[in-house]
Amino acid sequence: MNIQFDEKQGIFKLDTPNTSYCIGLAEGRWPGQVYYGPRIDTTELAWAMGLDQRPNTPGTLPGEAVSFFDRYPWEYPVCNMGDFRSCCLAVRTEAGEVDFLPEFAGYSIVPGKILPEGLPGTGGGQEDCASLILRQRDPQTGMELELIYTAYGHLDVITRSARIRNGGNSPVRLDKALSASLTIPWKDSRLLRINGSWAREQCIDIQPIGRGFQGTGSARGISSHQDHPFLAVLSPDATQDHGRVYAMHFVYSGSFLAQVERDQFDQLRMVMGIHPETFCWKLTPGETFQTPEVVMVCSDRGLGHMTRTLHDLYRTHLIPNHNRKRPVLLNSWEAVYFDFNEEVLLNIARSAAALGIELFVMDDGWFGKRDCPSGSLGDWIPDPKKLPRGLDHLSRELEKLGMELGIWMEPEMVSPDSDLYRAHPDWAIQTRNRLPMRCRDQYVLDLSRPEVEAYVYQAVETVLRSARITYLKWDMNRPLTNLGSAVLEPDRQGELTHRYVMALYRIQKRLTRAFPDLLLENCCSGGGRFDPGMLSCSPQIWGSDDSDAYERLKIQEGLSLVYPLSAIGAHVADCPNHVVGRTTPFETRAIVAMAGTFGYELDVTKLSREEQEQIPGQIARYQKYQDLIRQGDYYRLASARTGNLDAYLVVKKDRSQALLTAVRPMNVPNSRRTYLPLAGLDPSAVYRDAAKGVSYSGQVLMHLGYPLDFGWGDHQAILAELVRE
Ligand code: GLA
């Protein structure tokens, strides 16, 4: 197994193909991190615990605990015991005191993966990975802690979570229960975050790490447009293919905290977990709390190796049905918004079908009396004015055209103006004496209530059973506020958002089990809940409401840093673009949308003849490369964030085929041809660019580069296929 314990040294060692992670036990009692980096083949590491330095452990220097506690690289630091850096766990006893100091109490090493109970996690069988459970117990309070690690044998990934059990006799409250902490003994380093806002989600931001706290987090009840549950610490020299990277990614979709702290000794501590601001959890004797999972990657080959490791992990061990072929779809939202009826939709569908589009997605506005974003959420009955013959009739008409029907729902919501709200006003999340804040004129349903969870499942199931619906876009258009549940006990109100997230996972997983052929696409006003948790339920997520090709370069660069392209919903939209008013060439829009699950979001009947004629070719091209895009290795080559070029390469695992995408945002007058060095190719092979009728040596493509001959004008794109001869 790739996990071992050296009893003599007191060192646990977890190995992945290129990394090792070592844990020691100070005084045999306290697990601390000794090493995380390139793979080593020794456990002779007791010396590296630094316990021979002063201040020594409380065992050898009985008068001094705090100085030791405040510098020790704890595996899972607890609050109020003398470690004043960011901690992971605060246990408040019945007496109201924060009091918990766990000590090592045993371990197990088992083959395979231990999944976090009731929560998503990356899977893995006995042949893929091994797991370590480090058991700890506080002799004073009886509280127990288990740290759970899985090390993958074929990927440089270690996952972590924690279980806290009340082994005492009285109830306690968890004020904070993060999932993992990581110590990096580096002074000069940089922090990479992915953040943004609505319509400019997931942008990469890199800053030097100074003293104190830096990080990211969301208290919105969703992972959010603004912040992403991901952090990476980069060595000063780290680039795409060089330098060290430590990354943490949270498999969770609710509020989160991700922090790095540079302490008084210039050590870095990274922590990640559920945001404590909107969380507390009561544990009665015998009860256990399971934290969500953190995925950790250490790469000594820059960001690129981290990216490919995460892509492979999520494709093989997280995303359901990742490998299914995705139909080319047309989404009605930007085509007609709320203004449609059956004939309008079928009219678009007729043209779309003739052009080769396979799936027609009817977006918002088909139910209740929904002619604008106010009203009807919760009343999932087709609007008789718009769809007098119902969903089944629409699906049959589409079937005649050779198209499938997809549908939009926003099941977690209720409009104040809806029959559902009139019948169950208390189902909305709210505090006792105040109406909840409206956002997009809607409230959030309290999924922490079992009857509401059951209703939401049943509402979606009923719609899906009412017609031949092969695709569901599951939207979620507002954050959670006024956190209060009509049924939770006063001392359990802090559990609302986590219970909500767990119920959401249950509903979606139950649904995809009941409808195994359904293609579920998650959405949250675009990329507002794009996270590994949601990806454990649906193989794709709508990347952003911003479908402008130029804006999408940055969004898709951020997303593809951590997610495979097949997870990113990307569409060709109308111009001038509805969000930014920019006009980009139709062909560039289609090339940019290939970095994801390709589709159209416009009224094809309104396109020029010339544009319409391009669509069959664009679809055929996507179909041709769909497998490569879904399964290939991703290499980021240039970024529009930092220069006038965005480029990436997808390389087939056996390096026999590669697809290059390059976009030059602005034309440059009086410029000469540039060469873009490629990566990931076989240097000894010759690659043929059939479209150009030229062959290139792999070595030259990687060292000199591929010649970029952009067309005239701004926002020009190149798509080139290279096939090994
Ligand atoms: C959100 C989604 C859009 C669309 C609208 C409909 O903004 O991100 O794609 O579905 O809701 O109201």
Side-chain angles (χ1 to χ4, degrees):
M1 270 196 285
N2 54 331
I3 301 183
Q4 50 176 302
F5 180 50
D6 178 336
E7 262 178 63
K8 213 166 111 244
Q9 292 280 321
I11 297 288
F12 293 90
K13 181 160 161 295
L14 294 76
D15 290 323
T16 71
N18 302 292
T19 67
S20 296
Y21 184 97
C22 301
I23 302 164
L25 295 170
E27 286 192 347
R29 291 196 271 178
W30 298 307
Q33 195 192 313
V34 187
Y35 176 84
Y36 189 24
R39 186 160 171 162
I40 49 174
D41 56 12
T42 177
T43 45
E44 300 280 325
L45 280 167
W47 64 270
M49 302 273 296
L51 303 179
D52 51 345
Q53 293 174 59
R54 293 184 72 83
N56 241 317
T57 61
T60 49
L61 196 63
E64 185 52 81
V66 171
S67 306
F68 169 73
F69 280 25
D70 202 20
R71 70 183 70 198
Y72 185 61
W74 296 98
E75 274 300 300
Y76 193 75
V78 295
C79 297
N80 205 28
M81 291 295 152
D83 180 344
F84 299 100
R85 297 161 289 178
S86 324
C87 73
C88 283
L89 184 66
V91 180
R92 197 171 287 279
T93 63
E94 204 180 19
E97 300 158 346
V98 172
D99 183 35
F100 178 49
L101 183 60
E103 293 186 4
F104 180 66
Y107 72 94
S108 318
I109 297 173
V110 294
K113 169 85 192 193
I114 300 172
L115 280 165
E117 225 180 290
L119 287 162
T122 57
Q126 304 202 348
E127 63 299 344
D128 293 322
C129 51
S131 298
L132 164 69
I133 306 171
L134 276 186
R135 283 190 289 281
Q136 296 174 71
R137 187 169 178 278
D138 181 355
Q140 304 294 326
T141 61
M143 289 288 298
E144 295 159 20
L145 168 68
E146 285 182 344
L147 302 183
I148 300 157
Y149 303 77
T150 297
Y152 286 79
H154 61 302
L155 287 169
D156 289 321
V157 171
I158 291 174
T159 60
R160 291 189 55 177
S161 71
R163 280 199 293 240
I164 303 118
R165 182 173 173 277
N166 185 348
N169 303 319
S170 45
V172 299
R173 199 177 79 196
L174 309 182
D175 284 346
K176 187 178 189 183
L178 303 189
S179 295
S181 116
L182 187 61
T183 303
I184 304 164
W186 277 356
K187 183 171 168 209
D188 296 314
S189 46
R190 292 169 298 150
L191 181 65
L192 185 152
R193 282 174 287 208
I194 306 175
N195 52 34
S197 182
W198 173 80
R200 43 187 172 83
E201 299 86 355
Q202 328 294 2
C203 294
I204 295 171
D205 172 58
I206 302 176
Q207 303 288 340
I209 301 179
R211 274 286 293 273
F213 300 104
Q214 267 163 278
T216 179
S218 159
R220 297 166 193 261
I222 51 175
S223 44
S224 88
H225 302 85
Q226 289 75 11
D227 297 283
H228 196 88
F230 173 85
L231 273 191
V233 170
L234 318 182
S235 62
D237 58 341
T239 60
Q240 276 298 318
D241 50 16
H242 180 81
R244 177 96 52 95
V245 175
Y246 291 100
M248 280 179 137
H249 206 182
F250 201 25
V251 188
Y252 191 62
S253 310
S255 300
F256 73 92
L257 181 71
Q259 255 179 358
V260 62
E261 179 182 359
R262 185 167 141 190
D263 70 13
Q264 56 185 324
F265 307 110
D266 290 319
Q267 289 190 108
L268 303 182
R269 175 179 282 173
M270 286 171 91
V271 292
M272 184 170 268
I274 296 178
H275 203 307
E277 190 172 311
T278 51
F279 169 89
C280 66
W281 197 274
K282 181 177 171 185
L283 281 183
T284 56
E287 279 185 339
T288 299
F289 180 77
Q290 165 75 61
T291 73
E293 183 167 289
V294 167
V295 169
M296 301 193 309
V297 176
C298 169
S299 159
D300 223 30
R301 281 176 275 152
L303 283 165
H305 179 65
M306 175 206 77
T307 292
R308 289 183 289 282
T309 301
L310 289 173
H311 287 195
D312 282 344
L313 177 74
Y314 295 153
R315 288 192 285 216
T316 51
H317 290 306
L318 182 76
I319 301 175
N321 277 329
H322 152 262
N323 227 358
R324 76 186 275 176
K325 278 199 188 294
R326 315 299 164 82
V328 172
L329 65 80
L330 183 139
N331 181 295
S332 69
W333 180 238
E334 289 194 25
V336 290
Y337 294 100
F338 294 102
D339 188 14
F340 63 86
N341 58 30
E342 188 190 83
E343 197 35 46
V344 168
L345 298 184
L346 286 175
N347 195 31
I348 299 173
R350 267 179 226 113
S351 301
L355 295 168
I357 295 172
E358 301 158 304
L359 168 69
F360 188 90
V361 179
M362 178 170 60
D363 208 276
D364 197 355
W366 59 268
F367 52 91
K369 296 182 217 111
R370 186 136 163 117
D371 294 324
C372 69
S374 293
S376 296
L377 292 172
D379 300 343
W380 300 108
I381 295 165
D383 177 352
K385 201 165 65 338
K386 292 179 182 167
L387 300 171
R389 293 179 288 185
L391 292 177
D392 193 41
H393 183 264
L394 178 64
S395 70
R396 284 173 196 280
E397 289 301 302
L398 288 170
E399 212 169 71
K400 287 186 203 154
L401 300 172
M403 282 187 119
E404 295 173 357
L405 171 64
I407 201 162
W408 179 99
M409 291 183 78
E410 198 180 350
E412 297 159 68
M413 297 293 151
V414 61
S415 304
D417 181 10
S418 67
D419 293 341
L420 181 67
Y421 185 70
R422 282 182 282 275
H424 299 286
D426 60 313
W427 281 14
I429 291 178
Q430 61 198 290
T431 49
R432 257 142 250 267
N433 300 316
R434 191 188 302 274
L435 273 176
M437 299 296 154
R438 291 191 187 200
C439 182
R440 221 189 187 219
D441 213 354
Q442 62 199 51
Y443 299 147
V444 187
L445 287 170
D446 179 2
L447 298 192
S448 76
R449 294 174 67 163
E451 68 274 37
V452 180
E453 177 183 338
Y455 155 80
V456 168
Y457 175 80
Q458 194 240 314
V460 181
E461 191 200 31
T462 307
V463 170
L464 292 180
R465 292 217 188 279
S466 71
R468 296 158 198 224
I469 297 167
T470 60
Y471 162 106
L472 173 65
K473 181 175 172 194
W474 180 299
D475 212 340
M476 196 286 185
N477 282 312
R478 61 156 291 175
L480 275 56
T481 60
N482 307 82
L483 298 176
S485 167
V487 296
L488 281 173
E489 297 293 317
D491 56 0
R492 290 201 179 270
Q493 288 289 338
E495 301 176 11
L496 173 60
T497 56
H498 184 55
R499 288 183 182 275
Y500 180 99
V501 176
M502 288 196 294
L504 173 67
Y505 293 140
R506 277 196 299 271
I507 297 169
Q508 291 207 348
K509 286 188 193 275
R510 190 175 157 203
L511 208 62
T512 45
R513 269 198 311 273
F515 298 89
D517 297 329
L518 179 78
L519 175 57
L520 179 63
E521 175 155 354
N522 269 297
C523 173
C524 180
S525 303
R529 202 166 51 184
F530 207 126
D531 57 64
M534 294 320 287
L535 273 183
S536 77
C537 301
S538 72
Q540 58 195 61
I541 302 178
W542 177 226
S544 174
D545 277 352
D546 193 337
S547 46
D548 171 68
Y550 174 65
E551 298 300 322
R552 274 286 181 142
L553 296 179
K554 290 172 276 178
I555 295 168
Q556 293 173 182
E557 181 194 357
L559 285 171
S560 57
L561 181 75
V562 289
Y563 301 110
L565 299 182
S566 57
I568 307 169
H571 299 166
V572 179
D574 215 358
C575 273
N577 180 266
H578 294 194
V579 175
V580 290
R582 183 178 292 127
T583 296
T584 51
F586 194 59
E587 175 64 349
T588 298
R589 280 177 263 158
I591 289 177
V592 171
M594 283 181 70
T597 61
F598 188 77
Y600 293 84
E601 182 141 346
L602 41 71
D603 182 347
V604 276
T605 65
K606 298 206 170 116
L607 291 175
S608 68
R609 178 172 293 275
E610 197 192 25
E611 287 172 333
Q612 284 183 1
E613 281 169 5
Q614 291 179 52
I615 290 181
Q618 293 173 347
I619 292 176
R621 187 171 60 191
Y622 177 69
Q623 302 291 26
K624 178 173 174 199
Y625 298 124
Q626 189 180 154
D627 287 349
L628 174 62
I629 293 169
R630 218 175 40 243
Q631 297 158 354
D633 281 337
Y634 181 90
Y635 291 85
R636 168 59 51 180
L637 304 173
S639 164
R641 233 175 354 103
T642 49
N644 191 24
L645 180 67
D646 177 279
Y648 68 91
L649 189 74
V650 181
V651 184
K652 199 167 170 177
K653 291 266 177 206
D654 66 3
R655 298 192 289 178
S656 64
Q657 185 194 16
L659 191 68
L660 169 68
T661 304
V663 180
R664 184 187 60 192
M666 302 300 282
N667 196 3
V668 181
N670 187 25
S671 54
R672 70 186 285 271
R673 169 194 268 180
T674 52
Y675 295 89
L676 175 68
L678 306 188
L681 298 177
D682 176 357
S684 63
V686 171
Y687 289 89
R688 178 105 187 129
D689 181 342
K692 277 191 167 176
V694 183
S695 295
Y696 304 96
S697 127
Q699 216 174 23
V700 172
L701 282 174
M702 293 205 284
H703 297 315
L704 173 63
Y706 179 87
L708 294 177
D709 296 314
F710 286 106
W712 188 66
D714 293 339
H715 308 298
Q716 293 296 310
I718 290 172
L719 189 77
E721 183 195 17
L722 297 161
V723 179
R724 187 163 57 194
E725 286 189 336

